[in-house]
Amino acid sequence: MALQKMTAQKIIEKKKKGEKIVTITSYDYSFAKIVDECGIDLILVGDSLSMVILGYKNTLAVTMEEMIHHTKAVSRGVSNAMIVADMPFLSYKINIHEAVRNAGRFIQEGGAEAVKVEGGTKICPTIEAMIDADIQVMGHIGLTPQAIYEFGGFLVQGKTIEAAKKLILDAKSLEESGAFSIVLESIPWQIAKLITKSIDIPTIGIGAGSYCDGQILVINDMLGLFTDFKPKFLKYFGDVGKSVRDALFNYKIEVEKGLYPDREHSYEFPQETLEQINDWFENMDIEEESNKRKV
Ligand code: KIV
């Protein structure tokens, strides 16, 4: 099947047509290539990179340079999916000028087609400035992991009437500021449903129930590769961790027993000249040979 390049406009079109938007994170060339071949609509180079690839305990540690490095790798593997780069902690909150400059680096150096920023109404002037600079922006509200210290942990958001109202108004503001879609993370499905009904741009849920226009998961989570913790919404769609362990265990055994590499996995010297090299090898004087090479 010949796939077409996905764009922000096509993502919005999918909502209008009632088609679900399938998105996932990726952080490197090999996975991004597989994801792209599978016809996923949008790849987020998420700052979850900080945890699932770099091993930090939260997303606050990852830097602009690290995010750009991985965005470049993903871009090299993708032909069809839309690539969105996640702006890391503080890279867009010091001031608007710096935010636009950093967003631009993801497009210019990283090869991304849009950036994602966390936050509601407060972040809208920054989004507007990015859009003025021709940079497309995805919003992110609910559990915004860059604010975990403010929330007191990775906690479900929007559980009170006030908090739910704020989320709905935040989504409206993000739409008005020009964001092309919004990630809704870890909020009750009923609130996600209301938000999805109240805006024309797509909602992409993670822990936000089935009424969102699309879904996103962290690839290392859904493949069972990152198992440090398992939020309620997470479903394992594979056990790649087990496959990797099995493969490594078999490799270890075969190397230890001398079973790998066998002839099938070895290069062969041409049979016709094998005798000559064997003779030379048997009779050579190493010292003489190396002196010859020095001359
Ligand atoms: O960083 C990330 O992977 C994300 C998704 C969970 C939406 O922000």
Side-chain angles (χ1 to χ4, degrees), residues 101-175:
R101 166 78 59 214
N102 282 333
R105 288 191 65 196
F106 280 109
I107 312 296
Q108 202 166 37
E109 298 172 42
E113 286 135 6
V115 296
K116 176 169 82 59
V117 296
E118 296 184 3
T121 308
K122 266 201 304 196
I123 202 69
C124 288
T126 305
I127 295 181
E128 281 162 17
M130 288 175 182
I131 292 168
D132 273 350
D134 298 326
I135 298 166
Q136 318 232 47
V137 185
M138 179 182 233
H140 183 163
I141 55 175
L143 169 54
T144 45
Q146 290 172 13
I148 47 156
Y149 291 134
E150 192 183 322
F151 296 146
F154 291 98
L155 303 173
V156 177
Q157 301 297 304
K159 290 200 329 191
T160 64
I161 294 177
E162 274 319 302
K165 278 188 196 165
K166 182 174 180 317
L167 282 176
I168 296 165
L169 296 175
D170 277 343
K172 276 273 179 209
S173 309
L174 289 173
E175 178 177 39

Side-chain angles (χ1 to χ4, degrees), residues 25 27 44 46-48 86 116 118 140 183 185 206 216 218:
T25 68
Y27 316 96
L44 173 71
D47 63 355
S48 45
D86 218 356
K116 176 169 82 59
E118 296 184 3
H140 183 163
V183 169
E185 180 164 351
I206 172 162
I216 187 160
V218 169

Side-chain angles (χ1 to χ4, degrees), residues 174-209:
L174 289 173
E175 178 177 39
E176 278 158 23
S177 72
F180 76 92
S181 62
I182 307 176
V183 169
L184 304 180
E185 180 164 351
S186 297
I187 64 173
W189 63 266
Q190 297 93 331
I191 306 307
K193 186 179 177 189
L194 282 180
I195 294 173
T196 302
K197 268 208 297 199
S198 68
I199 56 177
D200 291 328
I201 55 169
T203 57
I204 309 294
I206 172 162

